Amino acid sequence: MSAGQPVKHLCMGLLAHVDAGKTTLSESLLYLSGAVRRLGRVDHRDAFLDTDEQERERGITIFSKQAEFSWGDTSFTLLDTPGHVDFSAEMERTLSVLDCAVLVISGTDGVQSHTRTLWKLLERHRIPTFLFVNKMDLAGADRDALLVQLRNKFDGGCLDFSGGLEPLQEDLASCDEGLMEKYLDGGVVTAADAASLIARRQVFPCFFGSALKLEGVEALLEGLAQYAPVPNYPTGFAARVFKIARDGNDRLTYLKVTGGSLRVRTLLGEEKINQIRIYSGAKFQTVDEAPAGTVCALTGLTRTRPGDVFGAESPTQEPELEPVLNYQVVLPPACDVHVMLKHLRQLEEEDPQLRVVWNEALGEIHLQLMGEVQLEVLTRLIQARFGVEVSFGTGNIVYRETIAAPVEGVGHFEPLRHYAEVHLLLEPGPRGSGLRIASACPTDQLDLNWQRLIFTHLMEKRHRGVLTGSPITDMKITLAAGRAHVKHTEGGDFRQATYRAVRQGLMQAENILLEPHYDFSLELPPDCVGRAMNDLQTMGGSVEGPEQEGEFSLLTGHAPVAGLRDYWKEVTAYTRGRGRLSCTLRGYEPCGNQEEIVARLGYDPERDVDNSPDSVFCSHGAGVTVKWYEVREHMHVDSGLRLGMEAPASEPASPAGGQRQYRGGSLEQDKELLAVFERTYGKVERGDAAFQPAKKPARTSLDEGKYTIREQKTGPEYLLVDGYNIIFAWDELTALARQDVSAARGALEDILSNYQGLRQCVVILVFDAYKVKGNPGSVDKKNNIYVVYTKEAETADAYIEKATYDLGKNHRVRVATSDGLEQMIILGHGALRLSARAFKAEIEQAQGEISALVTKLNRRNIGDRKLKHTAKIIQKE
């Protein structure tokens, strides 16, 4: 290791299939860099990063760990992630904070099923990746054959960097047109060129060695220090939370600072940071400030969750891996179920992929998780942390449901003095697409504020299917039509109508039950191949192969989790211990024995009183329930959808099976209606089951990619700012207000004036003046913004709520405030919420754009002056 003070910092992750030697490699990296004095071993139970007792016993990584070390002029934060598939969620959360990754491959096993999953995740997150092929000292490890396998199964850019850049000049040049021209002209591909290719994921450096014998590890360290791309962090504060853990009684929020810096006693959200800890193994040191690039653990925060972002950091991608098994928690007789539910919620916040489900009707707790190893670890963890010995019932599969064809769902909610009606178009989506939400409802039929409220209700819960009560997925839900009452509609009315519309649509649809599948890799003797292929096909799997790999045959493919979860026991038996099954989660596929599963689970959708498909109408001054199959005859709004012909009167609709047919002919059979419809919604595509909106939907800042809405046709955008709330949420304004509140108000007015000049929206700054006796209130235009002081007995909250309700009917309205209750109210009125933190990030971005414009103008002015000066000289000559 070369001497010198580190000048650059990298956050590096280690990833691998279980038993590839990842933890051994982490020990070697720490030992060679001088971070630890003694080389620990997994089999000796003294590895530096295996800090948990269960990790030492099992010899696997369960929880991601952090270590700090330096090599040359580079300091590293090493994040060691779990390799076992049951703890993949812990690994996936870590990916969001990595600058680069080292994927460890076993030299004797090559690319395994979970290794391919890891590669896909690294590709999805666009993380520059190095590969270390471990265990090259063992018999059967062939460097050339492994390199060919890496290129075939991963990417052709996998190159052997063990000998440096000189042997790779032509290979590197061929990855980029510009480099190829440079190389053909006699140039040399430099380390900077290689680093650029690695950053763009066009090249993946491969190193070979034995971590246990410290072979090839130093070359890996040199390669990381020389070629790993160093990120450029913005000056404005930003951070991303990736993990919640506990150290004794301290709740730890692990995050990476991705911009600016973070100091102790800073407010994150509405909570203050007590300590900033930098962990290395089980020990930590505290710091007063963490600069950009630092991975640290914060104490004092109680509301953070993995995936939270602060400042200008972009939202986190939704996780790809979902729990697939469901277990009932069996408690000892003396244990209070509600106390245990509270304890399990604590574990759930530490691991978002652990789902705690409370069945209130039965008084039961169910856990949804990845596999049985995770269940065993969880049992020990509950005993160690809470002192309770729990057991679990027989595990069941976590199913999902979707639909096979488009269907319209309608919901009406009209008890006395309430009113809401919703029409939804439910369409099947691509497998793995989740739920997507859109609108094709014109604002002159249903105000935009009510539309946004419907979107909120669609996204605020997991809607249950009607086959087994499992959550729905892979579906697009479009708001087709709706109606509100001028006087009687309240926010809760649309919640009821929306829920009922989803449910009523599902009751008519052709529903499909989905079950989770594993991708598998099965290595076994050739004489066992026939038995294995028969088993896999019988359980509903798809098999590829066999491929011959030395003395063994390799079968790959995918099969249901229900069949594969215990199949390893059978493989061990009929191969006499010579077979090896490796599985990794693939996703959800249609269930092969749907009727059998539905009958076994015995779910009755019409008895599920919390998810009713029926609607409520008002008759003779009282609310009357109308069954779901009769609702359409009572609806007040015609959505214009015609998805089929009317079924014969004698033919009953199937509760959850076949699709119910609708009254009337198609749009094409009624030219007059078609013309009216197209004037409202735009051109109808012939042969499509549904209409298309007239314009491409515009994405809002509120939805963060969850749904889309139609573009508004009227008016400018309005921004309402809760003045004192923002002043006391921004540190610099708070400090100024302590000296002079008037100066803080003036500073905020100047900031907003500059912001308005760039964004060209209508800015209304609202200050509380409700305690001033006899104050009539005032509205003044200062520069280019409106400044409002509320009247006596009127708070800023009340003024903003009224303004959002009035303006939200015809304009896009945003409200900047950190008042949680106010945010909920303005969302109900159709305005877009903007927290003080997010608004500050917008302001800083605007200030940066203004500075850039000023610089550009200054340069232009300097250029003009130079030209004029030159012209004068020429005239004189």
Side-chain angles (χ1 to χ4, degrees):
M1 172 179 159
S2 57
Q5 186 69 23
V7 295
K8 60 182 181 180
H9 182 81
L10 288 169
C11 180
M12 175 185 71
L14 286 185
L15 297 87
H17 189 287
V18 68
D19 291 333
K22 174 181 53 60
T23 301
T24 304
L25 177 60
S26 70
E27 289 291 316
S28 301
L29 293 170
L30 295 173
Y31 179 74
L32 287 176
S33 65
V36 297
R37 296 181 180 179
R38 182 171 169 274
L39 188 63
R41 288 181 54 155
V42 174
D43 54 346
H44 292 173
R45 300 188 179 184
D46 60 355
F48 180 73
L49 291 178
D50 281 350
T51 57
D52 186 83
E53 183 61 33
Q54 292 195 70
E55 291 179 318
R56 298 192 193 101
E57 289 180 10
R58 294 176 178 272
I60 61 172
T61 302
I62 298 173
F63 309 103
S64 60
K65 300 294 192 315
Q66 175 181 351
E68 302 289 323
F69 70 92
S70 297
W71 185 265
D73 64 351
T74 306
S75 63
F76 290 89
T77 292
L78 171 65
L79 296 178
D80 186 17
T81 66
H84 196 284
V85 66
D86 281 12
F87 307 103
S88 298
E90 179 91 1
M91 173 275 304
E92 188 180 4
R93 290 197 307 273
T94 307
L95 297 181
S96 63
V97 299
L98 298 183
D99 300 324
C100 64
V102 175
L103 182 59
V104 185
I105 313 290
S106 169
T108 55
D109 298 325
V111 177
Q112 297 170 277
S113 58
H114 189 52
T115 319
R116 287 194 287 269
T117 300
L118 295 174
W119 181 264
K120 290 175 184 176
L121 288 171
L122 290 166
E123 188 175 37
R124 180 186 183 220
H125 289 267
R126 303 297 302 164
I127 297 172
T129 303
F130 294 69
L131 294 99
F132 184 78
V133 184
N134 194 21
K135 303 184 181 182
M136 292 300 295
D137 57 318
L138 299 182
D142 185 331
R143 178 189 291 238
D144 294 334
L146 285 164
L147 194 58
V148 170
Q149 185 186 46
L150 294 175
R151 288 174 175 170
N152 290 338
K153 295 193 174 182
F154 287 164
D155 192 282
C158 293
L159 301 177
D160 185 354
F161 267 58
S162 301
L165 293 186
E166 189 174 344
L168 300 174
Q169 289 289 303
E170 188 172 336
D171 290 329
L172 291 169
S174 64
C175 296
D176 182 83
E177 241 180 81
L179 280 181
M180 180 57 76
E181 289 180 12
K182 174 182 173 181
Y183 177 71
L184 293 174
D185 290 339
V188 176
V189 179
T190 65
D193 295 329
S196 176
L197 292 172
I198 294 166
R200 288 178 280 151
R201 285 183 57 85
Q202 291 179 283
V203 168
F204 306 92
C206 301
F207 297 87
F208 297 80
S210 168
L212 187 62
K213 295 184 178 180
L214 302 178
E215 296 172 358
V217 180
E218 189 167 333
L220 173 64
L221 280 167
E222 291 288 356
L224 287 165
Q226 191 169 9
Y227 305 121
V230 179
N232 294 318
Y233 295 108
T235 55
F237 171 70
R240 182 187 298 276
V241 177
F242 68 96
K243 177 181 175 180
I244 302 296
R246 280 171 173 78
D247 188 348
N249 294 324
D250 294 326
R251 183 183 189 269
L252 304 177
T253 298
Y254 280 85
L255 57 74
K256 180 183 179 183
V257 181
T258 55
S261 64
L262 181 65
R263 293 187 62 84
V264 174
R265 302 299 176 188
T266 301
L267 281 176
L268 277 187
E270 299 176 357
E271 297 181 299
K272 188 176 290 185
I273 299 168
N274 291 337
Q275 280 186 331
I276 300 177
R277 298 180 180 181
I278 309 294
Y279 273 84
S280 191
K283 298 179 180 180
F284 65 88
Q285 61 177 352
T286 60
V287 296
D288 293 329
E289 183 174 10
T294 304
V295 174
C296 54
L298 312 180
T299 64
L301 307 181
T302 62
R303 303 174 189 172
T304 47
R305 295 291 182 272
D308 284 354
V309 294
F310 298 98
E313 182 63 36
S314 58
T316 302
Q317 289 182 306
E318 290 294 315
E320 282 214 345
L321 303 175
E322 291 282 331
V324 295
L325 298 174
N326 180 80
Y327 292 86
Q328 180 190 345
V329 181
V330 181
L331 301 176
C335 182
D336 187 307
V337 66
H338 296 286
V339 173
M340 179 51 65
L341 181 62
K342 182 180 178 182
H343 291 331
L344 292 174
R345 292 292 186 202
Q346 188 182 109
L347 298 179
E348 183 181 37
E349 74 172 12
E350 296 174 19
D351 183 0
Q353 298 310 99
L354 170 67
R355 303 280 168 77
V356 179
V357 181
W358 167 242
N359 188 323
E360 189 168 2
L362 300 176
E364 294 177 351
I365 304 174
H366 289 255
L367 298 183
Q368 295 179 359
L369 35 77
M370 297 293 291
E372 293 187 6
V373 175
Q374 185 186 7
L375 188 70
E376 294 170 10
V377 169
L378 196 61
T379 305
R380 290 273 301 275
L381 187 61
I382 293 171
Q383 164 67 28
R385 189 179 293 187
F386 309 119
V388 180
E389 291 189 10
V390 301
S391 58
F392 295 90
T394 305
N396 297 309
I397 301 298
V398 177
Y399 294 99
R400 296 282 187 270
E401 296 183 29
T402 189
I403 58 175
V407 64
E408 182 185 11
V410 292
H412 189 97
F413 187 70
E414 191 189 1
L416 187 62
R417 295 190 179 88
H418 293 268
Y419 188 93
E421 181 166 309
V422 174
H423 293 245
L424 302 174
L425 173 65
L426 279 61
E427 300 173 276
R431 196 69 65 236
S433 61
L435 287 182
R436 295 177 297 145
I437 296 181
S439 174
C441 179
T443 53
D444 54 359
Q445 181 188 85
L446 186 65
D447 284 347
L448 198 59
N449 59 322
W450 296 125
Q451 293 194 33
R452 291 198 183 109
L453 193 57
I454 291 169
F455 297 150
T456 301
H457 296 323
L458 285 171
M459 298 304 297
E460 69 189 2
K461 65 174 282 189
R462 286 176 172 250
H463 296 275
R464 303 182 72 182
V466 295
L467 294 174
T468 62
S470 302
I472 60 173
T473 187
D474 298 347
M475 205 180 297
K476 180 181 179 182
I477 303 178
T478 304
L479 175 61
R483 177 177 290 178
H485 192 280
V486 175
K487 184 176 180 181
H488 296 311
T489 298
E490 298 178 359
D493 299 345
F494 272 104
R495 174 183 285 109
Q496 288 290 333
T498 302
Y499 289 178
R500 293 166 191 268
V502 172
R503 196 72 169 170
Q504 197 264 353
L506 294 174
M507 292 293 285
Q508 304 170 81
E510 179 184 346
N511 292 274
I512 299 173
L513 186 66
L514 303 176
E515 65 176 343
H517 273 225
Y518 281 143
D519 280 326
F520 67 83
S521 173
L522 177 57
E523 189 178 292
L524 72 176
D527 58 341
C528 299
V529 168
R531 159 73 187 270
M533 292 187 71
N534 181 67
D535 288 349
L536 293 165
Q537 290 167 356
T538 300
M539 67 178 69
S542 173
V543 185
E544 299 174 9
E547 298 176 14
Q548 200 65 29
E549 293 201 352
E551 299 177 0
F552 290 87
S553 295
L554 178 67
L555 296 177
T556 58
H558 65 89
V561 170
L564 284 177
R565 54 184 292 206
D566 292 323
Y567 186 60
W568 64 272
K569 299 176 183 176
E570 293 186 43
V571 170
T572 302
Y574 70 71
T575 64
R576 295 179 176 86
R578 293 183 297 163
R580 183 167 54 182
L581 175 66
S582 177
C583 298
T584 186
L585 185 62
R586 172 186 177 88
Y588 277 81
E589 302 287 346
C591 185
N593 55 338
Q594 174 172 316
E595 292 183 5
E596 178 187 333
I597 299 299
V598 170
R600 177 168 59 82
L601 295 179
Y603 176 72
D604 187 347
E606 297 199 62
R607 290 178 179 271
D608 188 346
V609 294
D610 294 328
N611 297 277
S612 174
D614 305 329
S615 286
V616 179
F617 289 82
C618 187
S619 178
H620 303 292
V624 176
T625 300
V626 176
K627 298 299 291 182
W628 62 269
Y629 46 81
E630 298 175 347
V631 166
R632 286 190 59 84
E633 300 167 8
H634 298 267
M635 282 292 157
H636 297 174
V637 177
D638 183 0
S639 67
L641 286 170
R642 300 291 185 269
L643 301 180
M645 302 298 291
E646 183 177 359
S650 60
E651 183 181 328
S654 169
Q659 179 163 332
R660 190 169 183 262
Q661 305 296 320
Y662 302 132
R663 298 176 291 113
S666 68
L667 283 172
E668 295 181 17
Q669 293 172 330
D670 190 336
K671 294 183 180 178
E672 183 179 356
L673 178 59
L674 178 62
V676 173
F677 190 83
E678 289 187 343
R679 283 198 298 272
T680 305
Y681 296 107
K683 183 70 175 176
V684 175
E685 299 295 335
R686 306 287 175 172
D688 195 346
F691 51 76
Q692 302 290 330
K695 289 186 177 182
K696 184 179 180 181
R699 195 169 299 283
T700 71
S701 62
L702 169 66
D703 61 19
E704 296 181 349
K706 291 181 180 176
Y707 55 77
T708 54
I709 60 174
R710 286 172 62 93
E711 292 182 335
Q712 284 185 261
K713 301 177 182 178
T714 57
E717 175 182 303
Y718 281 77
L719 172 66
L720 284 85
V721 180
D722 188 333
Y724 287 127
N725 187 287
I726 295 296
I727 285 175
F728 291 106
W730 293 0
D731 291 342
E732 62 273 20
L733 292 181
T734 302
L736 185 58
R738 289 192 183 117
Q739 300 174 5
D740 187 345
V741 174
S742 178
R745 289 197 300 263
L748 182 57
E749 290 170 9
D750 292 341
I751 291 170
L752 294 178
S753 181
N754 290 336
Y755 177 85
Q756 192 281 334
L758 182 69
R759 299 292 185 237
Q760 296 299 304
C761 56
V762 179
V763 177
I764 304 174
L765 176 59
V766 185
F767 289 111
D768 279 313
Y770 67 96
K771 292 184 178 180
V772 180
K773 294 291 185 182
N775 176 34
S778 66
V779 180
D780 297 316
K781 188 166 187 180
K782 295 186 177 181
N783 297 325
N784 51 349
I785 68 170
Y786 294 92
V787 180
V788 176
Y789 286 89
T790 61
K791 62 185 178 183
E792 182 184 4
E794 182 184 42
T795 64
D797 292 356
Y799 182 93
I800 289 172
E801 288 163 21
K802 183 177 183 301
T804 55
Y805 182 81
D806 294 337
L807 294 170
K809 296 176 181 178
N810 297 310
H811 302 278
R812 186 171 184 264
V813 180
R814 299 197 303 159
V815 177
T817 178
S818 282
D819 187 320
L821 179 60
E822 186 179 345
Q823 287 186 353
M824 292 298 295
I825 294 171
I826 62 162
L827 176 63
H829 290 169
L832 300 180
R833 300 170 292 179
L834 192 63
S835 69
R837 183 178 66 247
F839 185 44
K840 187 175 183 182
E842 274 198 24
I843 291 292
E844 289 173 348
Q845 183 182 1
Q847 288 172 338
E849 292 177 26
I850 291 170
S851 299
L853 286 171
V854 170
T855 302
K856 189 175 180 180
L857 289 172
N858 288 339
R859 287 175 179 168
R860 185 179 297 172
N861 291 336
I862 291 170
D864 290 344
R865 287 199 295 270
K866 285 182 177 178
L867 284 172
K868 289 177 182 178
H869 180 67
T870 304
K872 287 180 181 178
I873 292 173
I874 292 170
Q875 286 174 358
K876 288 179 180 180
E877 292 177 350

